[in-house]
Amino acid sequence: MMETSSTILDIIFQYALNKFDDTTEQHATGRPKFLSVINQFIVAGTQVEMCLPAFPFKSANKVEKVFGILPDKAEELALERLNHMCIRIRDMYPPGAKLTIISDGLVYNDLLGIPDRDTWAYGEALRTMAVQKGFSHVDFSRLKDLVDFPLPAKLDEITYIANATNFRRFLFNKFGKDDLDIDHEIATNPDTKMTYLGYRRFLESDLRYIFPLGAGRSNHQYKKDVRYLAKQMLIRGHAFAGAVKSAFPNHLRLSIHQSTGEHKVSMSLLHTKTGFTTPWHCSVALLTDGEWISATMAEFKKNPMLEIVHEGGRPSFFREKARDMHELSGDDNVQGNQAASARLNESLAGPLSDTEAVIEKPVNSEEEKLQNEEYTPANSCLEESEEETITKLAKKLSYHGVKDENGEPINPFFESEHPSLNPNSGKFSPKAWLTTLMSITSRDTERYPKRVVGVAYKNLSAYGYGEPTDYQRTLGNYFFTVFALAKRLIRKWKKTRIQILKAFDGLVKSGEMIVVLGRPGRQVTL
């Protein structure tokens, strides 16, 4: 039975958010707990039950990120992916699996300026989509599953909106903690901190058109307010997590957020190498080679190679335009479209990050530079040993640090065809690789914070060698210096060991400088 549980967990891990260096370690950390949860279903011979808080509402940023308030092709791809995961489990374990999606829309929507009515419309359209597409292994929870207060037997739009405030009030009163110190939680709980940083990132981009700068709101104040909202979301999320645990105590807990992997499985809802993995924060595009990619709607709109496809009378996704059939035919046409897809994919690619693994900005500028410049060792100011070190780092990152959702390694620049960025190419340039990497990370310091550390030391000692006559030079004592020099030249005088520091303890925090002052004239200031 444990073997069956292990196989099922391995299938789930293949759909996990596995684009980080420590993914393998995270899976190993949570594996014993996850296996015990799955095994209870195997022993009983029942379907494996999972729950996933997700699919709240479409992003508040309708200018740059998404088409509108209703689900589109991005949600369809995500539901299809989750349903397929359950089908694979059923194929090896006949009782199968069921995934329950618990929408957290009403928990947060008022903080982000999303009307209750839009949250209702999104949820209803999502349920309709699942039925129409035959995603029978995916289910949806209702408000009555989480709260215990009088509700109509069947909610419609009006009764849902009428009870939205009641739902939030009941949730926070029953599962909230008045004494929750959220700052302490962020500082001490790695899962909370990762979620907080993820909230801050998406809130800054989601709310920029809801709460625009100006009229007394500076950029500094905006970011400060975003941090406040992120903490409010964490406080509400704590209560919501309590409700989920109470309503679904035996389910395998899945999550969309990056985590330590100890208590929940972090999932990737979109199978795309580029950018976003949560469908309500992005748009998707279909390339001519059949691959789906994700990015903001604004990024796709800027690309002349893409066109908008409508479904059900509204925009749903982007599609790469086929090359002129009169220019190419047969295999040439296929190869031409594949090459164009690769170029488009590359133009929208970028580095991976935490929580959403988001990439919102293309690397076109650096790629264009590379197309017009051939990097060679002669152009580099790096030492040969330094170039060798960077090359080894690039290979390690390319093959071990970044992986796709099937566990296969991918290039940190998403298979850039330029040889200067390929560590296995004979024309690989450490300078080009490092320049591109630094350019990507410097674009958004919030998304890619610089790693800084402090230094602590204990029992530190330092010494040097000198002459007994070592002191501040003056005209009166200069004769002794000449005498000491003469003795040294004829090797009659050995240098004396001088202890500068002895059993010294201290702490230097990031951004600090330490100065150790010696007695005047001793020349021992550090």
Side-chain angles (χ1 to χ4, degrees):
M1 291 184 179
M2 189 57 71
E3 183 179 352
T4 300
S5 300
S6 182
T7 303
I8 291 174
L9 184 57
D10 287 339
I11 292 175
I12 296 172
F13 278 163
Q14 292 176 25
Y15 294 80
L17 191 62
N18 58 4
K19 297 182 178 181
F20 301 95
D21 291 341
D22 59 349
T23 297
T24 302
E25 290 78 5
Q26 289 180 358
H27 290 173
T29 299
R31 192 174 189 90
K33 177 179 180 178
F34 302 148
L35 285 176
S36 66
V37 174
I38 296 173
N39 201 53
Q40 68 179 350
F41 299 112
I42 306 304
V43 171
T46 58
Q47 67 178 6
V48 177
E49 296 181 331
M50 300 170 281
C51 65
L52 173 66
F55 297 91
F57 38 72
K58 274 296 193 181
S59 166
N61 188 343
K62 308 297 192 298
V63 177
E64 295 178 333
K65 285 191 172 183
V66 296
F67 286 119
I69 68 170
L70 297 178
D72 51 36
K73 182 63 75 172
E75 276 81 4
E76 180 184 333
L77 294 176
L79 291 178
E80 181 181 35
R81 175 173 166 80
L82 295 172
N83 191 68
H84 185 257
M85 177 183 70
C86 294
I87 290 175
R88 289 185 58 194
I89 294 174
R90 182 202 61 189
D91 290 344
M92 57 81 52
Y93 174 64
K98 174 76 73 173
L99 173 63
T100 299
I101 293 173
I102 310 168
S103 175
D104 50 359
L106 280 183
V107 181
Y108 308 112
N109 66 311
D110 58 321
L111 289 176
L112 278 65
I114 302 292
D116 295 335
R117 188 174 189 179
D118 289 358
T119 305
W120 162 266
Y122 179 83
E124 286 300 292
L126 201 65
R127 288 169 169 81
T128 300
M129 174 185 288
V131 172
Q132 291 178 345
K133 299 297 180 179
F135 300 145
S136 58
H137 299 279
V138 176
D139 200 3
F140 297 87
S141 72
R142 291 288 182 179
L143 291 184
K144 61 183 177 61
D145 298 326
L146 297 175
V147 296
D148 184 20
F149 66 83
L151 286 169
K154 180 177 175 58
L155 287 175
D156 56 22
E157 181 181 17
I158 294 177
T159 54
Y160 175 91
I161 295 173
N163 282 282
T165 301
N166 296 333
F167 168 78
R168 284 189 284 265
R169 183 185 298 115
F170 182 92
L171 183 73
F172 304 147
N173 288 342
K174 182 172 182 178
F175 298 102
K177 291 180 61 177
D178 294 334
D179 59 346
L180 177 64
D181 186 344
I182 201 62
D183 290 312
H184 178 73
E185 284 291 314
I186 294 171
T188 60
N189 188 321
D191 278 344
T192 303
K193 183 175 182 179
M194 282 186 277
T195 303
Y196 170 65
L197 293 176
Y199 282 164
R200 282 178 54 182
R201 282 192 293 271
F202 93 77
L203 284 173
E204 280 197 24
S205 59
D206 267 29
L207 302 180
R208 64 179 58 178
Y209 295 101
I210 302 295
F211 305 108
L213 302 183
R217 182 182 294 116
S218 65
N219 186 56
H220 174 76
Q221 184 63 42
Y222 175 70
K223 290 188 176 182
K224 182 180 178 180
D225 291 341
V226 162
R227 291 194 293 270
Y228 176 81
L229 280 177
K231 291 178 182 180
Q232 291 301 307
M233 289 184 67
L234 287 176
I235 294 171
R236 294 189 179 194
H238 186 275
F240 181 64
V244 171
K245 187 175 182 179
S246 175
F248 302 90
N250 300 318
H251 284 56
L252 180 64
R253 179 71 153 78
L254 309 182
S255 173
I256 62 166
H257 299 291
Q258 183 189 4
S259 70
T260 60
E262 185 177 356
H263 305 292
K264 51 193 177 183
V265 183
S266 299
M267 302 297 290
S268 178
L269 302 187
L270 291 176
H271 183 45
T272 56
K273 291 180 181 179
T274 50
F276 296 79
T277 58
T278 48
W280 51 92
H281 281 132
C282 69
S283 297
V284 294
L286 178 62
L287 306 184
T288 53
D289 62 0
E291 180 182 359
W292 287 96
I293 58 177
S294 57
T296 62
M297 174 187 66
E299 290 295 341
F300 283 145
K301 280 186 173 181
K302 289 190 298 185
N303 199 310
M305 299 170 63
L306 296 173
E307 59 186 359
I308 297 177
V309 177
H310 288 70
E311 292 183 315
R314 53 189 176 86
S316 180
F317 65 98
F318 291 85
R319 180 174 57 202
E320 184 180 9
K321 300 175 183 177
R323 299 186 67 184
D324 193 340
M325 299 298 290
H326 297 291
E327 295 181 7
L328 299 171
S329 61
D331 292 339
D332 288 338
N333 184 45
V334 174
Q335 294 173 3
N337 280 329
Q338 288 177 341
S341 297
R343 289 193 297 273
L344 175 61
N345 199 342
E346 184 176 333
S347 73
L348 292 165
L352 294 172
S353 181
D354 58 349
T355 310
E356 301 170 23
V358 291
I359 299 156
E360 298 189 75
K361 303 212 175 188
V363 295
N364 301 28
S365 58
E366 291 302 323
E367 287 293 305
E368 290 169 0
K369 291 178 183 178
L370 290 174
Q371 298 300 331
N372 299 317
E373 179 178 356
E374 186 69 27
Y375 286 94
T376 64
N379 292 336
S380 177
C381 60
L382 298 171
E383 297 291 339
E384 184 176 348
S385 60
E386 293 174 328
E387 289 191 349
E388 183 178 351
T389 300
I390 294 174
T391 301
K392 290 181 180 179
L393 174 64
K395 289 182 178 180
K396 182 178 180 180
L397 178 61
S398 298
Y399 286 92
H400 302 289
V402 185
K403 297 181 179 180
D404 64 19
E405 297 183 20
N406 294 318
E408 295 298 323
I410 61 176
N411 187 289
F413 305 114
F414 295 97
E415 309 296 352
S416 170
E417 295 180 355
H418 199 283
S420 294
L421 297 181
N422 183 355
N424 292 304
S425 168
K427 295 183 179 180
F428 174 71
S429 167
K431 177 184 175 183
W433 190 88
L434 194 58
T435 299
T436 305
L437 184 65
M438 293 301 294
S439 174
I440 290 170
T441 57
S442 64
R443 287 193 188 111
D444 190 342
T445 55
E446 285 289 328
R447 187 181 301 282
Y448 310 112
K450 296 184 181 298
R451 306 301 179 187
V452 293
V453 296
V455 177
Y457 50 89
K458 186 175 182 180
N459 199 26
L460 175 66
S461 297
Y463 61 86
Y465 289 93
E467 308 291 349
T469 56
D470 279 343
Y471 35 66
Q472 193 72 31
R473 303 291 187 266
T474 66
L475 184 60
N477 62 30
Y478 197 76
F479 170 77
F480 296 105
T481 302
V482 176
F483 178 73
L485 178 60
K487 287 286 188 179
R488 195 182 319 134
L489 291 175
I490 61 176
R491 299 185 180 180
K492 293 292 185 180
W493 203 326
K494 293 185 178 180
K495 287 188 174 183
T496 303
R497 172 169 165 161
I498 301 173
Q499 193 76 33
I500 302 173
L501 299 177
K502 184 177 181 180
F504 200 66
D505 300 342
L507 171 66
V508 184
K509 296 182 179 180
S510 171
E512 293 182 343
M513 178 184 296
I514 187 169
V515 178
V516 181
L517 299 175
R519 286 180 289 179
R522 294 288 181 172
Q523 299 182 4
V524 293
T525 297
L526 298 178

